[in-house]
mmCIF file of all heavy atoms in Angstrom:
data_model
loop_
_atom_site.group_PDB
_atom_site.id
_atom_site.type_symbol
_atom_site.label_atom_id
_atom_site.label_comp_id
_atom_site.label_asym_id
_atom_site.label_seq_id
_atom_site.Cartn_x
_atom_site.Cartn_y
_atom_site.Cartn_z
ATOM 1 N N CYS A 748 89.339 183.480 220.013
ATOM 2 C CA CYS A 748 89.518 184.920 219.714
ATOM 3 C C CYS A 748 90.517 185.557 220.595
ATOM 4 O O CYS A 748 91.328 186.378 220.106
ATOM 5 C CB CYS A 748 88.147 185.646 219.788
ATOM 6 S SG CYS A 748 86.865 185.095 218.660
ATOM 7 N N ILE A 749 90.585 185.301 221.899
ATOM 8 C CA ILE A 749 91.387 186.026 222.792
ATOM 9 C C ILE A 749 92.641 185.323 223.334
ATOM 10 O O ILE A 749 93.510 185.975 223.807
ATOM 11 C CB ILE A 749 90.557 186.498 224.031
ATOM 12 C CG1 ILE A 749 90.138 185.256 224.924
ATOM 13 C CG2 ILE A 749 89.308 187.236 223.546
ATOM 14 C CD1 ILE A 749 89.403 185.634 226.154
ATOM 15 N N MET A 750 92.678 183.984 223.146
ATOM 16 C CA MET A 750 93.886 183.264 223.580
ATOM 17 C C MET A 750 94.906 183.326 222.507
ATOM 18 O O MET A 750 94.688 183.527 221.260
ATOM 19 C CB MET A 750 93.511 181.809 223.890
ATOM 20 C CG MET A 750 92.624 181.628 225.129
ATOM 21 S SD MET A 750 92.363 179.900 225.489
ATOM 22 C CE MET A 750 94.053 179.383 226.077
ATOM 23 N N ARG A 751 96.225 183.231 222.932
ATOM 24 C CA ARG A 751 97.260 183.213 221.970
ATOM 25 C C ARG A 751 97.161 182.056 221.011
ATOM 26 O O ARG A 751 96.616 180.976 221.311
ATOM 27 C CB ARG A 751 98.648 183.106 222.728
ATOM 28 C CG ARG A 751 98.991 184.395 223.545
ATOM 29 C CD ARG A 751 99.424 185.466 222.664
ATOM 30 N NE ARG A 751 99.722 186.748 223.386
ATOM 31 C CZ ARG A 751 100.799 186.978 224.018
ATOM 32 N NH1 ARG A 751 101.781 186.091 224.019
ATOM 33 N NH2 ARG A 751 100.980 188.183 224.624
ATOM 34 N N SER A 752 97.633 182.242 219.849
ATOM 35 C CA SER A 752 97.578 181.136 218.833
ATOM 36 C C SER A 752 98.427 179.959 219.296
ATOM 37 O O SER A 752 99.331 180.142 220.117
ATOM 38 C CB SER A 752 98.151 181.664 217.513
ATOM 39 O OG SER A 752 97.474 182.821 217.112
ATOM 40 N N PRO A 753 98.087 178.800 218.782
ATOM 41 C CA PRO A 753 98.934 177.625 219.127
ATOM 42 C C PRO A 753 100.372 177.829 218.890
ATOM 43 O O PRO A 753 100.812 178.477 217.838
ATOM 44 C CB PRO A 753 98.354 176.471 218.211
ATOM 45 C CG PRO A 753 96.972 176.921 217.929
ATOM 46 C CD PRO A 753 97.006 178.460 217.877
ATOM 47 N N ASN A 754 101.223 177.311 219.736
ATOM 48 C CA ASN A 754 102.730 177.559 219.581
ATOM 49 C C ASN A 754 103.233 177.059 218.351
ATOM 50 O O ASN A 754 104.066 177.692 217.697
ATOM 51 C CB ASN A 754 103.461 176.961 220.789
ATOM 52 C CG ASN A 754 103.181 177.719 222.109
ATOM 53 O OD1 ASN A 754 102.843 178.863 222.097
ATOM 54 N ND2 ASN A 754 103.305 177.071 223.211
ATOM 55 N N ALA A 755 102.791 175.900 217.900
ATOM 56 C CA ALA A 755 103.285 175.325 216.639
ATOM 57 C C ALA A 755 102.951 176.310 215.424
ATOM 58 O O ALA A 755 103.692 176.449 214.504
ATOM 59 C CB ALA A 755 102.694 173.980 216.383
ATOM 60 N N LEU A 756 101.737 176.857 215.505
ATOM 61 C CA LEU A 756 101.225 177.766 214.487
ATOM 62 C C LEU A 756 102.093 179.076 214.513
ATOM 63 O O LEU A 756 102.513 179.656 213.481
ATOM 64 C CB LEU A 756 99.793 178.093 214.659
ATOM 65 C CG LEU A 756 99.146 179.103 213.643
ATOM 66 C CD1 LEU A 756 99.298 178.532 212.231
ATOM 67 C CD2 LEU A 756 97.728 179.448 213.956
ATOM 68 N N ARG A 757 102.338 179.578 215.741
ATOM 69 C CA ARG A 757 103.100 180.758 215.921
ATOM 70 C C ARG A 757 104.433 180.638 215.334
ATOM 71 O O ARG A 757 105.019 181.578 214.666
ATOM 72 C CB ARG A 757 103.213 181.200 217.323
ATOM 73 C CG ARG A 757 101.875 181.603 218.027
ATOM 74 C CD ARG A 757 102.038 181.885 219.494
ATOM 75 N NE ARG A 757 102.710 183.167 219.614
ATOM 76 C CZ ARG A 757 102.042 184.358 219.565
ATOM 77 N NH1 ARG A 757 100.809 184.471 219.394
ATOM 78 N NH2 ARG A 757 102.772 185.458 219.799
ATOM 79 N N GLU A 758 105.045 179.455 215.480
ATOM 80 C CA GLU A 758 106.425 179.280 214.866
ATOM 81 C C GLU A 758 106.389 179.328 213.371
ATOM 82 O O GLU A 758 107.228 179.830 212.715
ATOM 83 C CB GLU A 758 106.973 177.967 215.378
ATOM 84 C CG GLU A 758 107.301 177.933 216.827
ATOM 85 C CD GLU A 758 107.799 176.546 217.295
ATOM 86 O OE1 GLU A 758 107.733 175.641 216.387
ATOM 87 O OE2 GLU A 758 108.255 176.463 218.452
ATOM 88 N N ARG A 759 105.327 178.813 212.801
ATOM 89 C CA ARG A 759 105.246 178.710 211.328
ATOM 90 C C ARG A 759 104.964 180.060 210.687
ATOM 91 O O ARG A 759 105.322 180.279 209.513
ATOM 92 C CB ARG A 759 104.162 177.675 210.908
ATOM 93 C CG ARG A 759 104.474 176.220 211.314
ATOM 94 C CD ARG A 759 103.450 175.297 210.731
ATOM 95 N NE ARG A 759 103.442 175.381 209.300
ATOM 96 C CZ ARG A 759 102.571 174.610 208.578
ATOM 97 N NH1 ARG A 759 101.697 173.844 209.232
ATOM 98 N NH2 ARG A 759 102.557 174.687 207.258
ATOM 99 N N ILE A 760 104.287 180.965 211.431
ATOM 100 C CA ILE A 760 103.947 182.229 210.814
ATOM 101 C C ILE A 760 104.827 183.352 211.314
ATOM 102 O O ILE A 760 104.682 184.513 211.015
ATOM 103 C CB ILE A 760 102.506 182.590 211.151
ATOM 104 C CG1 ILE A 760 102.163 182.761 212.622
ATOM 105 C CG2 ILE A 760 101.527 181.560 210.527
ATOM 106 C CD1 ILE A 760 100.762 183.075 212.947
ATOM 107 N N GLY A 761 105.890 182.916 212.072
ATOM 108 C CA GLY A 761 106.857 183.985 212.507
ATOM 109 C C GLY A 761 106.553 184.828 213.660
ATOM 110 O O GLY A 761 107.019 185.951 213.743
ATOM 111 N N LEU A 762 105.729 184.401 214.656
ATOM 112 C CA LEU A 762 105.390 185.139 215.760
ATOM 113 C C LEU A 762 106.112 184.639 216.992
ATOM 114 O O LEU A 762 106.385 183.458 217.115
ATOM 115 C CB LEU A 762 103.842 185.099 216.034
ATOM 116 C CG LEU A 762 102.967 185.726 214.957
ATOM 117 C CD1 LEU A 762 101.516 185.573 215.451
ATOM 118 C CD2 LEU A 762 103.293 187.266 214.831
ATOM 119 N N ALA A 763 106.471 185.638 217.864
ATOM 120 C CA ALA A 763 107.229 185.202 219.050
ATOM 121 C C ALA A 763 106.344 184.470 220.081
ATOM 122 O O ALA A 763 105.143 184.739 220.120
ATOM 123 C CB ALA A 763 107.799 186.468 219.764
ATOM 124 N N ARG A 764 106.894 183.498 220.724
ATOM 125 C CA ARG A 764 106.185 182.726 221.711
ATOM 126 C C ARG A 764 106.327 183.361 223.056
ATOM 127 O O ARG A 764 106.906 182.850 223.967
ATOM 128 C CB ARG A 764 106.726 181.283 221.737
ATOM 129 C CG ARG A 764 106.445 180.577 220.481
ATOM 130 C CD ARG A 764 107.047 179.159 220.491
ATOM 131 N NE ARG A 764 106.653 178.381 221.739
ATOM 132 C CZ ARG A 764 107.072 177.205 222.047
ATOM 133 N NH1 ARG A 764 107.984 176.596 221.204
ATOM 134 N NH2 ARG A 764 106.737 176.623 223.184
ATOM 135 N N ASN A 765 105.794 184.571 223.244
ATOM 136 C CA ASN A 765 105.809 185.264 224.509
ATOM 137 C C ASN A 765 104.615 184.909 225.367
ATOM 138 O O ASN A 765 103.526 184.726 224.751
ATOM 139 C CB ASN A 765 105.949 186.794 224.250
ATOM 140 C CG ASN A 765 107.159 187.154 223.534
ATOM 141 O OD1 ASN A 765 108.266 186.606 223.836
ATOM 142 N ND2 ASN A 765 107.188 188.227 222.738
ATOM 143 N N PRO A 766 104.760 184.952 226.583
ATOM 144 C CA PRO A 766 103.539 184.735 227.494
ATOM 145 C C PRO A 766 102.659 186.020 227.451
ATOM 146 O O PRO A 766 103.045 187.037 226.973
ATOM 147 C CB PRO A 766 104.118 184.446 228.856
ATOM 148 C CG PRO A 766 105.390 185.169 228.863
ATOM 149 C CD PRO A 766 106.020 185.092 227.426
ATOM 150 N N TYR A 767 101.538 185.836 228.063
ATOM 151 C CA TYR A 767 100.671 187.037 228.274
ATOM 152 C C TYR A 767 101.261 188.020 229.125
ATOM 153 O O TYR A 767 102.061 187.656 230.123
ATOM 154 C CB TYR A 767 99.223 186.592 228.773
ATOM 155 C CG TYR A 767 98.517 185.645 227.995
ATOM 156 C CD1 TYR A 767 98.599 184.252 228.196
ATOM 157 C CD2 TYR A 767 97.736 186.005 226.839
ATOM 158 C CE1 TYR A 767 97.965 183.339 227.402
ATOM 159 C CE2 TYR A 767 97.069 185.110 226.120
ATOM 160 C CZ TYR A 767 97.176 183.797 226.390
ATOM 161 O OH TYR A 767 96.527 182.834 225.625
ATOM 162 N N VAL A 768 101.020 189.309 228.879
ATOM 163 C CA VAL A 768 101.513 190.353 229.802
ATOM 164 C C VAL A 768 100.381 191.055 230.434
ATOM 165 O O VAL A 768 99.234 190.914 230.067
ATOM 166 C CB VAL A 768 102.397 191.337 229.008
ATOM 167 C CG1 VAL A 768 103.688 190.642 228.449
ATOM 168 C CG2 VAL A 768 101.629 191.959 227.775
ATOM 169 N N ALA A 769 100.685 191.889 231.449
ATOM 170 C CA ALA A 769 99.668 192.422 232.350
ATOM 171 C C ALA A 769 98.558 193.099 231.733
ATOM 172 O O ALA A 769 97.405 192.740 231.850
ATOM 173 C CB ALA A 769 100.412 193.319 233.381
ATOM 174 N N MET A 770 98.805 194.116 230.875
ATOM 175 C CA MET A 770 97.633 194.846 230.343
ATOM 176 C C MET A 770 97.105 194.213 229.001
ATOM 177 O O MET A 770 95.945 194.474 228.679
ATOM 178 C CB MET A 770 98.074 196.314 229.999
ATOM 179 C CG MET A 770 98.385 197.131 231.281
ATOM 180 S SD MET A 770 97.012 197.057 232.501
ATOM 181 C CE MET A 770 95.730 197.901 231.576
ATOM 182 N N SER A 771 97.968 193.510 228.359
ATOM 183 C CA SER A 771 97.497 192.904 227.022
ATOM 184 C C SER A 771 96.977 191.537 227.245
ATOM 185 O O SER A 771 96.595 190.881 226.235
ATOM 186 C CB SER A 771 98.631 192.873 226.033
ATOM 187 O OG SER A 771 99.673 192.070 226.508
ATOM 188 N N GLY A 772 96.976 191.012 228.509
ATOM 189 C CA GLY A 772 96.238 189.753 228.659
ATOM 190 C C GLY A 772 96.544 188.818 229.725
ATOM 191 O O GLY A 772 95.913 187.870 229.929
ATOM 192 N N GLY A 773 97.611 189.035 230.565
ATOM 193 C CA GLY A 773 97.886 188.050 231.588
ATOM 194 C C GLY A 773 98.847 188.320 232.568
ATOM 195 O O GLY A 773 99.262 189.510 232.807
ATOM 196 N N ALA A 774 99.431 187.326 233.258
ATOM 197 C CA ALA A 774 100.325 187.445 234.404
ATOM 198 C C ALA A 774 101.756 187.373 233.946
ATOM 199 O O ALA A 774 102.625 187.606 234.787
ATOM 200 C CB ALA A 774 99.996 186.528 235.483
ATOM 201 N N GLY A 775 102.063 187.072 232.729
ATOM 202 C CA GLY A 775 103.427 186.867 232.340
ATOM 203 C C GLY A 775 104.174 188.192 232.237
ATOM 204 O O GLY A 775 103.586 189.227 232.082
ATOM 205 N N SER A 776 105.525 188.150 232.347
ATOM 206 C CA SER A 776 106.288 189.437 232.366
ATOM 207 C C SER A 776 107.447 189.320 231.430
ATOM 208 O O SER A 776 108.242 190.308 231.415
ATOM 209 C CB SER A 776 106.673 189.788 233.736
ATOM 210 O OG SER A 776 107.513 188.732 234.334
ATOM 211 N N GLY A 777 107.688 188.214 230.750
ATOM 212 C CA GLY A 777 108.836 188.062 229.977
ATOM 213 C C GLY A 777 108.734 186.914 229.007
ATOM 214 O O GLY A 777 107.769 186.249 228.976
ATOM 215 N N PRO A 778 109.761 186.653 228.167
ATOM 216 C CA PRO A 778 109.755 185.550 227.274
ATOM 217 C C PRO A 778 109.738 184.182 227.937
ATOM 218 O O PRO A 778 110.205 184.052 229.050
ATOM 219 C CB PRO A 778 110.876 185.776 226.413
ATOM 220 C CG PRO A 778 111.885 186.517 227.308
ATOM 221 C CD PRO A 778 110.996 187.428 228.074
ATOM 222 N N GLU A 779 109.269 183.225 227.258
ATOM 223 C CA GLU A 779 109.233 181.863 227.787
ATOM 224 C C GLU A 779 110.661 181.262 227.871
ATOM 225 O O GLU A 779 111.546 181.568 227.056
ATOM 226 C CB GLU A 779 108.452 180.918 226.847
ATOM 227 C CG GLU A 779 106.897 181.232 226.863
ATOM 228 C CD GLU A 779 106.185 180.289 225.944
ATOM 229 O OE1 GLU A 779 106.809 179.614 225.185
ATOM 230 O OE2 GLU A 779 104.985 180.260 226.045
ATOM 231 N N PRO A 780 110.929 180.584 228.947
ATOM 232 C CA PRO A 780 112.341 180.002 229.195
ATOM 233 C C PRO A 780 112.535 178.881 228.310
ATOM 234 O O PRO A 780 112.679 177.737 228.821
ATOM 235 C CB PRO A 780 112.247 179.673 230.705
ATOM 236 C CG PRO A 780 110.847 179.282 230.956
ATOM 237 C CD PRO A 780 110.045 180.238 230.052
ATOM 238 N N ASP A 781 112.650 179.022 226.992
ATOM 239 C CA ASP A 781 113.075 177.955 226.104
ATOM 240 C C ASP A 781 113.788 178.512 224.932
ATOM 241 O O ASP A 781 113.969 179.675 224.766
ATOM 242 C CB ASP A 781 111.789 177.088 225.688
ATOM 243 C CG ASP A 781 110.715 177.989 225.044
ATOM 244 O OD1 ASP A 781 111.081 178.869 224.319
ATOM 245 O OD2 ASP A 781 109.542 177.679 225.185
ATOM 246 N N ASN A 782 114.191 177.690 224.100
ATOM 247 C CA ASN A 782 114.980 178.043 222.934
ATOM 248 C C ASN A 782 114.177 178.104 221.618
ATOM 249 O O ASN A 782 114.761 178.223 220.633
ATOM 250 C CB ASN A 782 116.134 177.067 222.671
ATOM 251 C CG ASN A 782 117.100 176.976 223.915
ATOM 252 O OD1 ASN A 782 117.325 178.015 224.536
ATOM 253 N ND2 ASN A 782 117.511 175.782 224.272
#
């Protein structure tokens, strides 16, 4: 329920592969360093 969807699934449904951010769920602060 609370974890981000699998990355492969996110690509297929058109969602960005961003990390968790401070208030919405985690310690990430920007997009993942990949293409």
Side-chain angles (χ1 to χ4, degrees):
C748 298
I749 67 175
M750 291 182 72
R751 292 285 176 84
S752 304
N754 287 335
L756 178 64
R757 294 178 71 84
E758 291 178 353
R759 294 185 62 182
I760 62 180
L762 294 179
R764 292 176 53 184
N765 294 328
Y767 300 96
V768 293
M770 292 307 296
S771 62
S776 58
E779 291 180 346
D781 56 36
N782 298 322

